[in-house]
Amino acid sequence: MSTMTLAKALNAGLRRALDANPKVLLYGEDIGKLGGVFRITEGLQKDFGEDRVIDAPLAESGIVGTSFGLALRGYRPVVEIQFDGFVYPAFNQIVSQVAKFHNRTEGRHAVPMVIRIPYGGGIGAIEHHSESPEAYFAHTAGLKVVTCSTPNDAYWMIQQAVASEDPVIFLEPKRRYHDKGEVVHDTKPLPLHQARVVRGGTDATLITYGPMVKMCAEAAAIAEDEGRSLEVVDLRSLSPIDMVTLTNSVRRTRRAIVVHEDVQTLGLGAEIAARLSEDLFYLMESPVLRVTGHDMPYPNSRVENDFLPDVDRILDAVDRSLAY
Amino acid sequence: MSQPVQPWSGPPVTAGLADAVTASDEMVQLLTPEGRRVQHPEFAFTGDDAEIAGYLREMVLARRYDQEGTSLQRQGELGLWPPLLGQEAAQIGSGRAVRDTDMIFPTYREHGVAMLRDVPVANMLGLFRGTSMGDWDIEATRFAQYQIIIGAQTLHATGYAMGIQHDGAVGNPDPERNAAVLAFHGDGASSQGDVNESYVFAASFRAPVVFFCTNNQWAISEPTIRQSRIPLYQRAWGYGFPGIRVDGNDVLAVKVVTDWAMERAREGQGPAFIEAFTYRMGAHTTSDDPSKYRLSEETEAWRRKDPIERVKTYLLGVGAIDEAWLADLDAEADEFGEHVRAACKSLRSEPLAHRFDKVFRVPTAEVEDQRDAHISYLAGFEAAEGSSR
Ligand SMILES: Cc1ncc(C[n+]2csc(CCOP(=O)(O)OP(=O)(O)O)c2C)c(N)n1
Ligand SMILES: [Mg+2]
């Protein structure tokens, strides 16, 4: 067991993935000498060489499209997209090619690759550096989408994603990169697509993922002081969604609030609300509520805190849910 | 550049330096780093020394603008700043080759060009302070919003140029009625699909657009050779229009070459590509640490090619300016710096509530409902605060 930041845990996980399989390649802009703008790949080019940790020309469509070819040739590319907003030049390759290939080849071939994307806001950045693009990918059949919220999950999930036979969009909560936590090295990790109950509770379930897990845990701690018991579930996998863990929780609490930074309309909250109402309609005491970013382009950084869900907005939703 | 390379292996660290040595014989230069005027068989600067002194002044002000940006970021007044240090000649030389009726599509680093286009300092800084998104008027400034998505603006520029063409504003006998577009992009951007498509469209339609590629040797940590195995300007010919390399640290050469390219575009002869061979003396942005990926020897070698020093040396040598003139310029730069700082520190963001109204031109009930909910949610806090007092 050791304590490290989420960024370092990803680095350690990638190192293990490179060690475990000579076909694994890291591929992206500025990931070599620089170690990526967030230093997630720091030191890896030095240790594994320029042929396995590859600085690509500046073109995301090119990076993902050539990764597709490398994957067909038996390699396992792990792509780094520098920031969330820069994945869109590659969107065509991801949704039209990577996602559809297994289907196109009648199940004969897969293109196992990982596309790592630092995502989310709260870091005071300029346009295109704070977005939450998860819904686009979760909406696309043929892509698996996961996101970590703790160093331990970062360490294990990145290795599981690399080992996955299907393409995985791996979302990294960039505002949590420097948060520290325990990484348990000698353990059997949770399956990649299983959700995790972060904190037990009885009055309502906060369903969340990525950067908002910490926020929800904080909200639950404050609620406890006020005599309310909130359960917090970290989805971890956005596609597929672990409905077993979700319904087990909500069956007990009978109230659910989904929290994410992404905008509201057609976000993960909409899907989860629909599924919970299908599965547990007669049991629920109140409609599923959503605490999300507003339906607008990500705002200028000086007002981003009014855009992003915070403890107050979460507790306000809890009040409304309980008062229903 | 011709030595064999391993597949995928990295380029030499001193790519910028090595290239700079071989670059000289194929690039247009009219003023040497030592401040000596030289002849070029095709390009001549015909302006007088007063005009050159004007460029010196503008380069000094651009550098001051930039220094203030960097220090404002250090003080926490700006969230981020991408320095232009070292690229003053590329920006002032090209910026002075556009007319009021021409249009400019910048990257995120053309602060010097923005200054020439009268983009108000406060409106520019708001973007980097996080108080606004890019709050200036394209029509008034003829300077499009900064573009963060690498290369996207080159297609916009090409489309705008196609519009100019459709308007019949090219190839008129009366040159005053003609216009063209200047599209900036970097060496890194030259790899993007958008950029390559813009070359194709510009050539196909003979659009009046000039691609001004600022080859500052680096795209964050990647040297230009990672993007191109041949000099960038040579690519243009493959797309079907002329490409030319200019000493990007020579304001006279940049001005003359950009004049030439813009004029032929206005006359209806189609696009052209200019590779301004220069160097990013500073970090990529204030978040970057260049010591991780490049040698200080390289930066030092380029310091000797400084775009401002050579003009000073020349003008002092011919007696067009003297120390008193330079002292006046210093004072003007100090005053400008003061203005930049004051303009920055006074900037405040409007509340988030206003941003709901900027999602659409024609508002939707959905977004308006969210706005109203947001406003009443905030009002709830104010009421609670009021009652607890
Ligand atoms: C589509 C996209 N991918 C990646 C980035 C991140 N990024 C910002 S600047 C930059 C390098 C650009 O290099 P270049 O085009 O040479 O311009 P310079 O910064 O040198 O002026 C990169 C990779 C981005 N802004 N947009
Ligand atoms: Mg560059």
Side-chain angles (χ1 to χ4, degrees), chain A residues 119 132-135 138 145-149 171 173 176 198 206-216 232-238 241 258-263 267-269 272 292:
Chain A
Y119 80 122
S132 298
E134 60 268 27
V145 185
V146 301
T147 178
C148 53
S149 67
L171 296 160
R176 305 295 179 217
V198 175
L206 300 179
I207 300 166
T208 189
Y209 54 88
M212 282 291 125
V213 172
K214 187 179 176 185
M215 194 70 81
C216 286
V232 178
V233 177
D234 178 358
L235 282 178
R236 300 183 351 123
S237 178
L238 310 184
I241 295 171
V258 188
V259 182
H260 54 63
E261 288 189 13
D262 190 13
V263 301
L268 263 287
I272 289 166
T292 69

mmCIF file of all heavy atoms in Angstrom, chain A residues 119 132-135 138 145-149 171 173 176 198 206-216 232-238 241 258-263 267-269 272 292:
data_model
loop_
_atom_site.group_PDB
_atom_site.id
_atom_site.type_symbol
_atom_site.label_atom_id
_atom_site.label_comp_id
_atom_site.label_asym_id
_atom_site.label_seq_id
_atom_site.Cartn_x
_atom_site.Cartn_y
_atom_site.Cartn_z
ATOM 1 N N TYR A 119 -10.723 15.517 -18.099
ATOM 2 C CA TYR A 119 -11.979 16.215 -18.336
ATOM 3 C C TYR A 119 -12.446 16.969 -17.099
ATOM 4 O O TYR A 119 -11.944 16.786 -15.998
ATOM 5 C CB TYR A 119 -13.057 15.241 -18.825
ATOM 6 C CG TYR A 119 -13.733 14.397 -17.750
ATOM 7 C CD1 TYR A 119 -15.105 14.446 -17.560
ATOM 8 C CD2 TYR A 119 -12.990 13.547 -16.932
ATOM 9 C CE1 TYR A 119 -15.736 13.669 -16.597
ATOM 10 C CE2 TYR A 119 -13.615 12.767 -15.968
ATOM 11 C CZ TYR A 119 -14.981 12.830 -15.796
ATOM 12 O OH TYR A 119 -15.598 12.076 -14.847
ATOM 13 N N SER A 132 -16.958 18.459 -20.259
ATOM 14 C CA SER A 132 -17.331 17.102 -19.845
ATOM 15 C C SER A 132 -18.007 16.415 -21.032
ATOM 16 O O SER A 132 -19.215 16.526 -21.208
ATOM 17 C CB SER A 132 -18.295 17.173 -18.655
ATOM 18 O OG SER A 132 -17.656 17.793 -17.559
ATOM 19 N N PRO A 133 -17.246 15.727 -21.856
ATOM 20 C CA PRO A 133 -17.801 15.167 -23.106
ATOM 21 C C PRO A 133 -18.346 13.749 -22.967
ATOM 22 O O PRO A 133 -18.633 13.105 -23.975
ATOM 23 C CB PRO A 133 -16.579 15.176 -24.035
ATOM 24 C CG PRO A 133 -15.418 14.932 -23.119
ATOM 25 C CD PRO A 133 -15.781 15.529 -21.771
ATOM 26 N N GLU A 134 -18.509 13.255 -21.723
ATOM 27 C CA GLU A 134 -18.801 11.829 -21.534
ATOM 28 C C GLU A 134 -20.074 11.362 -22.228
ATOM 29 O O GLU A 134 -20.143 10.229 -22.724
ATOM 30 C CB GLU A 134 -18.867 11.481 -20.042
ATOM 31 C CG GLU A 134 -19.926 12.227 -19.212
ATOM 32 C CD GLU A 134 -19.381 13.497 -18.569
ATOM 33 O OE1 GLU A 134 -18.420 14.071 -19.126
ATOM 34 O OE2 GLU A 134 -19.918 13.934 -17.535
ATOM 35 N N ALA A 135 -21.097 12.237 -22.254
ATOM 36 C CA ALA A 135 -22.383 11.770 -22.786
ATOM 37 C C ALA A 135 -22.288 11.418 -24.274
ATOM 38 O O ALA A 135 -22.925 10.473 -24.738
ATOM 39 C CB ALA A 135 -23.460 12.824 -22.549
ATOM 40 N N ALA A 138 -20.812 7.920 -24.205
ATOM 41 C CA ALA A 138 -21.712 6.931 -23.601
ATOM 42 C C ALA A 138 -22.913 6.700 -24.519
ATOM 43 O O ALA A 138 -23.504 5.626 -24.530
ATOM 44 C CB ALA A 138 -22.160 7.404 -22.223
ATOM 45 N N VAL A 145 -17.097 3.367 -21.558
ATOM 46 C CA VAL A 145 -16.675 4.658 -20.997
ATOM 47 C C VAL A 145 -16.523 4.513 -19.496
ATOM 48 O O VAL A 145 -17.473 4.100 -18.812
ATOM 49 C CB VAL A 145 -17.720 5.760 -21.306
ATOM 50 C CG1 VAL A 145 -17.209 7.115 -20.824
ATOM 51 C CG2 VAL A 145 -18.041 5.810 -22.795
ATOM 52 N N VAL A 146 -15.353 4.809 -18.996
ATOM 53 C CA VAL A 146 -15.134 4.715 -17.549
ATOM 54 C C VAL A 146 -14.458 5.988 -17.041
ATOM 55 O O VAL A 146 -13.882 6.752 -17.825
ATOM 56 C CB VAL A 146 -14.249 3.493 -17.177
ATOM 57 C CG1 VAL A 146 -14.892 2.196 -17.648
ATOM 58 C CG2 VAL A 146 -12.843 3.633 -17.740
ATOM 59 N N THR A 147 -14.558 6.208 -15.733
ATOM 60 C CA THR A 147 -13.885 7.358 -15.141
ATOM 61 C C THR A 147 -13.523 7.049 -13.700
ATOM 62 O O THR A 147 -14.294 6.429 -12.966
ATOM 63 C CB THR A 147 -14.747 8.631 -15.232
ATOM 64 O OG1 THR A 147 -14.047 9.706 -14.588
ATOM 65 C CG2 THR A 147 -16.110 8.451 -14.580
ATOM 66 N N CYS A 148 -12.338 7.470 -13.316
ATOM 67 C CA CYS A 148 -11.854 7.187 -11.962
ATOM 68 C C CYS A 148 -12.062 8.415 -11.083
ATOM 69 O O CYS A 148 -12.175 9.530 -11.578
ATOM 70 C CB CYS A 148 -10.374 6.822 -12.002
ATOM 71 S SG CYS A 148 -9.354 8.023 -12.862
ATOM 72 N N SER A 149 -12.092 8.199 -9.775
ATOM 73 C CA SER A 149 -12.236 9.339 -8.873
ATOM 74 C C SER A 149 -11.221 9.312 -7.744
ATOM 75 O O SER A 149 -11.107 10.267 -6.994
ATOM 76 C CB SER A 149 -13.652 9.377 -8.288
ATOM 77 O OG SER A 149 -13.842 8.272 -7.436
ATOM 78 N N LEU A 171 -11.852 8.535 -18.851
ATOM 79 C CA LEU A 171 -11.944 9.953 -18.473
ATOM 80 C C LEU A 171 -11.270 10.202 -17.125
ATOM 81 O O LEU A 171 -11.541 9.493 -16.152
ATOM 82 C CB LEU A 171 -13.413 10.359 -18.422
ATOM 83 C CG LEU A 171 -14.125 10.269 -19.776
ATOM 84 C CD1 LEU A 171 -15.635 10.203 -19.597
ATOM 85 C CD2 LEU A 171 -13.751 11.462 -20.652
ATOM 86 N N PRO A 173 -10.498 12.880 -14.097
ATOM 87 C CA PRO A 173 -10.982 14.138 -13.507
ATOM 88 C C PRO A 173 -9.812 15.070 -13.197
ATOM 89 O O PRO A 173 -9.170 14.945 -12.164
ATOM 90 C CB PRO A 173 -11.676 13.682 -12.224
ATOM 91 C CG PRO A 173 -10.982 12.407 -11.851
ATOM 92 C CD PRO A 173 -10.521 11.766 -13.129
ATOM 93 N N ARG A 176 -8.857 16.633 -9.951
ATOM 94 C CA ARG A 176 -8.484 15.738 -8.843
ATOM 95 C C ARG A 176 -7.098 15.131 -9.037
ATOM 96 O O ARG A 176 -6.676 14.292 -8.238
ATOM 97 C CB ARG A 176 -9.507 14.608 -8.698
ATOM 98 C CG ARG A 176 -10.955 15.060 -8.541
ATOM 99 C CD ARG A 176 -11.191 15.817 -7.251
ATOM 100 N NE ARG A 176 -12.575 16.254 -7.141
ATOM 101 C CZ ARG A 176 -12.962 17.416 -6.615
ATOM 102 N NH1 ARG A 176 -12.062 18.275 -6.139
ATOM 103 N NH2 ARG A 176 -14.240 17.734 -6.552
ATOM 104 N N VAL A 198 -19.472 4.534 -2.040
ATOM 105 C CA VAL A 198 -18.393 5.276 -1.405
ATOM 106 C C VAL A 198 -18.697 5.478 0.073
ATOM 107 O O VAL A 198 -17.811 5.522 0.919
ATOM 108 C CB VAL A 198 -18.238 6.653 -2.091
ATOM 109 C CG1 VAL A 198 -17.212 7.523 -1.386
ATOM 110 C CG2 VAL A 198 -17.870 6.463 -3.551
ATOM 111 N N LEU A 206 -26.895 9.642 -3.510
ATOM 112 C CA LEU A 206 -26.257 10.550 -4.469
ATOM 113 C C LEU A 206 -25.501 9.673 -5.468
ATOM 114 O O LEU A 206 -24.613 8.911 -5.073
ATOM 115 C CB LEU A 206 -25.286 11.496 -3.763
ATOM 116 C CG LEU A 206 -25.859 12.427 -2.685
ATOM 117 C CD1 LEU A 206 -24.740 13.275 -2.062
ATOM 118 C CD2 LEU A 206 -26.938 13.338 -3.277
ATOM 119 N N ILE A 207 -25.872 9.791 -6.738
ATOM 120 C CA ILE A 207 -25.232 8.980 -7.778
ATOM 121 C C ILE A 207 -24.325 9.910 -8.578
ATOM 122 O O ILE A 207 -24.797 10.922 -9.124
ATOM 123 C CB ILE A 207 -26.289 8.347 -8.697
ATOM 124 C CG1 ILE A 207 -27.218 7.443 -7.864
ATOM 125 C CG2 ILE A 207 -25.633 7.567 -9.830
ATOM 126 C CD1 ILE A 207 -28.479 7.034 -8.605
ATOM 127 N N THR A 208 -23.061 9.580 -8.649
ATOM 128 C CA THR A 208 -22.134 10.517 -9.270
ATOM 129 C C THR A 208 -20.926 9.784 -9.818
ATOM 130 O O THR A 208 -20.868 8.552 -9.804
ATOM 131 C CB THR A 208 -21.739 11.615 -8.249
ATOM 132 O OG1 THR A 208 -21.000 12.630 -8.911
ATOM 133 C CG2 THR A 208 -20.915 11.025 -7.104
ATOM 134 N N TYR A 209 -19.951 10.532 -10.315
ATOM 135 C CA TYR A 209 -18.741 9.919 -10.875
ATOM 136 C C TYR A 209 -17.668 10.989 -11.061
ATOM 137 O O TYR A 209 -17.962 12.195 -11.059
ATOM 138 C CB TYR A 209 -19.042 9.239 -12.216
ATOM 139 C CG TYR A 209 -19.721 10.140 -13.249
ATOM 140 C CD1 TYR A 209 -18.970 10.939 -14.117
ATOM 141 C CD2 TYR A 209 -21.102 10.187 -13.352
ATOM 142 C CE1 TYR A 209 -19.580 11.743 -15.059
ATOM 143 C CE2 TYR A 209 -21.731 11.007 -14.294
ATOM 144 C CZ TYR A 209 -20.962 11.781 -15.144
ATOM 145 O OH TYR A 209 -21.567 12.591 -16.066
ATOM 146 N N GLY A 210 -16.453 10.541 -11.234
ATOM 147 C CA GLY A 210 -15.340 11.432 -11.564
ATOM 148 C C GLY A 210 -15.150 12.554 -10.559
ATOM 149 O O GLY A 210 -15.096 12.318 -9.344
ATOM 150 N N PRO A 211 -15.061 13.800 -11.054
ATOM 151 C CA PRO A 211 -14.706 14.909 -10.172
ATOM 152 C C PRO A 211 -15.741 15.195 -9.088
ATOM 153 O O PRO A 211 -15.424 15.795 -8.068
ATOM 154 C CB PRO A 211 -14.600 16.105 -11.126
ATOM 155 C CG PRO A 211 -15.385 15.725 -12.333
ATOM 156 C CD PRO A 211 -15.244 14.237 -12.440
ATOM 157 N N MET A 212 -16.989 14.742 -9.304
ATOM 158 C CA MET A 212 -18.042 15.089 -8.364
ATOM 159 C C MET A 212 -18.174 14.098 -7.202
ATOM 160 O O MET A 212 -18.960 14.318 -6.286
ATOM 161 C CB MET A 212 -19.383 15.207 -9.104
ATOM 162 C CG MET A 212 -19.545 16.517 -9.857
ATOM 163 S SD MET A 212 -19.715 17.904 -8.701
ATOM 164 C CE MET A 212 -18.398 18.966 -9.256
ATOM 165 N N VAL A 213 -17.391 13.024 -7.231
ATOM 166 C CA VAL A 213 -17.474 12.054 -6.138
ATOM 167 C C VAL A 213 -17.041 12.718 -4.832
ATOM 168 O O VAL A 213 -17.705 12.600 -3.803
ATOM 169 C CB VAL A 213 -16.617 10.807 -6.448
ATOM 170 C CG1 VAL A 213 -16.542 9.894 -5.232
ATOM 171 C CG2 VAL A 213 -17.183 10.069 -7.656
ATOM 172 N N LYS A 214 -15.944 13.434 -4.901
ATOM 173 C CA LYS A 214 -15.440 14.104 -3.705
ATOM 174 C C LYS A 214 -16.466 15.128 -3.198
ATOM 175 O O LYS A 214 -16.712 15.246 -1.996
ATOM 176 C CB LYS A 214 -14.118 14.789 -4.044
ATOM 177 C CG LYS A 214 -13.410 15.387 -2.848
ATOM 178 C CD LYS A 214 -12.093 16.032 -3.277
ATOM 179 C CE LYS A 214 -11.424 16.712 -2.102
ATOM 180 N NZ LYS A 214 -10.221 17.444 -2.536
ATOM 181 N N MET A 215 -17.054 15.865 -4.144
ATOM 182 C CA MET A 215 -18.030 16.889 -3.780
ATOM 183 C C MET A 215 -19.242 16.249 -3.084
ATOM 184 O O MET A 215 -19.744 16.749 -2.079
ATOM 185 C CB MET A 215 -18.466 17.618 -5.061
ATOM 186 C CG MET A 215 -19.215 18.905 -4.851
ATOM 187 S SD MET A 215 -18.157 20.215 -4.193
ATOM 188 C CE MET A 215 -17.341 20.801 -5.680
ATOM 189 N N CYS A 216 -19.682 15.126 -3.611
ATOM 190 C CA CYS A 216 -20.847 14.447 -3.026
ATOM 191 C C CYS A 216 -20.505 13.879 -1.648
ATOM 192 O O CYS A 216 -21.339 13.904 -0.736
ATOM 193 C CB CYS A 216 -21.348 13.340 -3.951
ATOM 194 S SG CYS A 216 -22.201 13.996 -5.396
ATOM 195 N N VAL A 232 -23.583 7.522 -1.029
ATOM 196 C CA VAL A 232 -22.920 8.052 -2.225
ATOM 197 C C VAL A 232 -22.424 6.872 -3.064
ATOM 198 O O VAL A 232 -21.688 6.019 -2.567
ATOM 199 C CB VAL A 232 -21.732 8.972 -1.861
ATOM 200 C CG1 VAL A 232 -21.042 9.474 -3.119
ATOM 201 C CG2 VAL A 232 -22.208 10.144 -1.003
ATOM 202 N N VAL A 233 -22.846 6.852 -4.329
ATOM 203 C CA VAL A 233 -22.394 5.799 -5.238
ATOM 204 C C VAL A 233 -21.548 6.422 -6.345
ATOM 205 O O VAL A 233 -21.973 7.367 -7.012
ATOM 206 C CB VAL A 233 -23.589 5.042 -5.862
ATOM 207 C CG1 VAL A 233 -23.091 3.993 -6.855
ATOM 208 C CG2 VAL A 233 -24.436 4.399 -4.787
ATOM 209 N N ASP A 234 -20.348 5.881 -6.499
ATOM 210 C CA ASP A 234 -19.458 6.298 -7.585
ATOM 211 C C ASP A 234 -19.685 5.317 -8.744
ATOM 212 O O ASP A 234 -19.358 4.136 -8.646
ATOM 213 C CB ASP A 234 -18.009 6.235 -7.088
ATOM 214 C CG ASP A 234 -17.004 6.603 -8.178
ATOM 215 O OD1 ASP A 234 -17.426 6.863 -9.329
ATOM 216 O OD2 ASP A 234 -15.797 6.623 -7.865
ATOM 217 N N LEU A 235 -20.231 5.824 -9.838
ATOM 218 C CA LEU A 235 -20.564 4.947 -10.969
ATOM 219 C C LEU A 235 -19.340 4.237 -11.540
ATOM 220 O O LEU A 235 -19.394 3.119 -11.999
ATOM 221 C CB LEU A 235 -21.205 5.754 -12.099
ATOM 222 C CG LEU A 235 -22.663 6.151 -11.960
ATOM 223 C CD1 LEU A 235 -23.054 6.984 -13.180
ATOM 224 C CD2 LEU A 235 -23.539 4.918 -11.868
ATOM 225 N N ARG A 236 -18.234 4.954 -11.649
ATOM 226 C CA ARG A 236 -16.977 4.463 -12.245
ATOM 227 C C ARG A 236 -17.128 4.106 -13.721
ATOM 228 O O ARG A 236 -16.312 4.491 -14.541
ATOM 229 C CB ARG A 236 -16.413 3.277 -11.460
ATOM 230 C CG ARG A 236 -16.108 3.639 -10.013
ATOM 231 C CD ARG A 236 -15.474 2.518 -9.183
ATOM 232 N NE ARG A 236 -15.441 1.263 -9.812
ATOM 233 C CZ ARG A 236 -14.334 0.541 -10.029
ATOM 234 N NH1 ARG A 236 -13.162 0.998 -9.639
ATOM 235 N NH2 ARG A 236 -14.395 -0.633 -10.626
ATOM 236 N N SER A 237 -18.167 3.389 -14.060
ATOM 237 C CA SER A 237 -18.386 3.038 -15.463
ATOM 238 C C SER A 237 -19.641 3.754 -15.947
ATOM 239 O O SER A 237 -20.704 3.627 -15.349
ATOM 240 C CB SER A 237 -18.549 1.519 -15.592
ATOM 241 O OG SER A 237 -18.806 1.186 -16.943
ATOM 242 N N LEU A 238 -19.499 4.519 -17.007
ATOM 243 C CA LEU A 238 -20.635 5.283 -17.549
ATOM 244 C C LEU A 238 -21.274 4.534 -18.707
ATOM 245 O O LEU A 238 -22.375 4.837 -19.127
ATOM 246 C CB LEU A 238 -20.172 6.667 -18.007
ATOM 247 C CG LEU A 238 -19.342 7.459 -16.980
ATOM 248 C CD1 LEU A 238 -19.029 8.851 -17.518
ATOM 249 C CD2 LEU A 238 -20.052 7.542 -15.646
ATOM 250 N N ILE A 241 -23.568 0.958 -17.517
ATOM 251 C CA ILE A 241 -23.883 1.447 -16.173
ATOM 252 C C ILE A 241 -24.239 0.241 -15.302
ATOM 253 O O ILE A 241 -25.002 -0.630 -15.728
ATOM 254 C CB ILE A 241 -25.068 2.435 -16.225
ATOM 255 C CG1 ILE A 241 -24.665 3.688 -17.004
ATOM 256 C CG2 ILE A 241 -25.514 2.802 -14.811
ATOM 257 C CD1 ILE A 241 -25.831 4.619 -17.288
ATOM 258 N N VAL A 258 -28.834 12.579 -9.069
ATOM 259 C CA VAL A 258 -27.653 12.363 -9.902
ATOM 260 C C VAL A 258 -26.885 13.683 -9.995
ATOM 261 O O VAL A 258 -27.486 14.735 -10.223
ATOM 262 C CB VAL A 258 -28.029 11.880 -11.319
ATOM 263 C CG1 VAL A 258 -26.775 11.475 -12.080
ATOM 264 C CG2 VAL A 258 -29.004 10.712 -11.245
ATOM 265 N N VAL A 259 -25.579 13.601 -9.817
ATOM 266 C CA VAL A 259 -24.746 14.805 -9.821
ATOM 267 C C VAL A 259 -23.639 14.656 -10.859
ATOM 268 O O VAL A 259 -22.868 13.687 -10.814
ATOM 269 C CB VAL A 259 -24.110 15.036 -8.430
ATOM 270 C CG1 VAL A 259 -23.278 16.315 -8.431
ATOM 271 C CG2 VAL A 259 -25.180 15.086 -7.339
ATOM 272 N N HIS A 260 -23.596 15.562 -11.822
ATOM 273 C CA HIS A 260 -22.434 15.603 -12.724
ATOM 274 C C HIS A 260 -22.169 17.022 -13.209
ATOM 275 O O HIS A 260 -23.051 17.873 -13.171
ATOM 276 C CB HIS A 260 -22.583 14.622 -13.891
ATOM 277 C CG HIS A 260 -23.836 14.720 -14.716
ATOM 278 N ND1 HIS A 260 -24.154 15.843 -15.455
ATOM 279 C CD2 HIS A 260 -24.832 13.824 -14.944
ATOM 280 C CE1 HIS A 260 -25.293 15.609 -16.111
ATOM 281 N NE2 HIS A 260 -25.732 14.402 -15.808
ATOM 282 N N GLU A 261 -20.932 17.249 -13.677
ATOM 283 C CA GLU A 261 -20.549 18.568 -14.184
ATOM 284 C C GLU A 261 -21.111 18.823 -15.570
ATOM 285 O O GLU A 261 -21.359 19.971 -15.952
ATOM 286 C CB GLU A 261 -19.018 18.696 -14.258
ATOM 287 C CG GLU A 261 -18.332 18.804 -12.920
ATOM 288 C CD GLU A 261 -16.851 19.153 -13.056
ATOM 289 O OE1 GLU A 261 -16.412 19.553 -14.157
ATOM 290 O OE2 GLU A 261 -16.136 19.019 -12.052
ATOM 291 N N ASP A 262 -21.275 17.755 -16.322
ATOM 292 C CA ASP A 262 -21.783 17.886 -17.687
ATOM 293 C C ASP A 262 -23.157 18.558 -17.645
ATOM 294 O O ASP A 262 -23.854 18.512 -16.638
ATOM 295 C CB ASP A 262 -21.893 16.484 -18.303
ATOM 296 C CG ASP A 262 -22.180 16.534 -19.803
ATOM 297 O OD1 ASP A 262 -22.050 17.618 -20.405
ATOM 298 O OD2 ASP A 262 -22.539 15.476 -20.367
ATOM 299 N N VAL A 263 -23.523 19.171 -18.749
ATOM 300 C CA VAL A 263 -24.800 19.872 -18.789
ATOM 301 C C VAL A 263 -25.948 18.888 -18.595
ATOM 302 O O VAL A 263 -25.791 17.676 -18.724
ATOM 303 C CB VAL A 263 -24.980 20.660 -20.107
ATOM 304 C CG1 VAL A 263 -23.859 21.682 -20.259
ATOM 305 C CG2 VAL A 263 -25.029 19.724 -21.306
ATOM 306 N N GLY A 267 -27.775 14.295 -20.482
ATOM 307 C CA GLY A 267 -26.569 13.855 -19.792
ATOM 308 C C GLY A 267 -26.799 12.503 -19.133
ATOM 309 O O GLY A 267 -27.869 11.904 -19.251
ATOM 310 N N LEU A 268 -25.777 12.010 -18.404
ATOM 311 C CA LEU A 268 -25.905 10.723 -17.725
ATOM 312 C C LEU A 268 -27.089 10.712 -16.770
ATOM 313 O O LEU A 268 -27.742 9.684 -16.579
ATOM 314 C CB LEU A 268 -24.610 10.429 -16.956
ATOM 315 C CG LEU A 268 -23.574 9.533 -17.632
ATOM 316 C CD1 LEU A 268 -24.051 8.093 -17.640
ATOM 317 C CD2 LEU A 268 -23.284 9.972 -19.055
ATOM 318 N N GLY A 269 -27.393 11.862 -16.173
ATOM 319 C CA GLY A 269 -28.509 11.947 -15.225
ATOM 320 C C GLY A 269 -29.821 11.567 -15.879
ATOM 321 O O GLY A 269 -30.671 10.901 -15.262
ATOM 322 N N ILE A 272 -29.953 7.745 -16.233
ATOM 323 C CA ILE A 272 -30.102 7.054 -14.945
ATOM 324 C C ILE A 272 -31.518 7.268 -14.392
ATOM 325 O O ILE A 272 -32.142 6.336 -13.874
ATOM 326 C CB ILE A 272 -29.014 7.545 -13.966
ATOM 327 C CG1 ILE A 272 -27.665 6.981 -14.438
ATOM 328 C CG2 ILE A 272 -29.322 7.114 -12.540
ATOM 329 C CD1 ILE A 272 -26.480 7.629 -13.786
ATOM 330 N N THR A 292 -26.494 19.461 -12.054
ATOM 331 C CA THR A 292 -25.570 19.371 -13.199
ATOM 332 C C THR A 292 -25.070 20.762 -13.599
ATOM 333 O O THR A 292 -25.515 21.774 -13.050
ATOM 334 C CB THR A 292 -26.308 18.791 -14.428
ATOM 335 O OG1 THR A 292 -27.265 19.759 -14.879
ATOM 336 C CG2 THR A 292 -27.036 17.497 -14.098
#
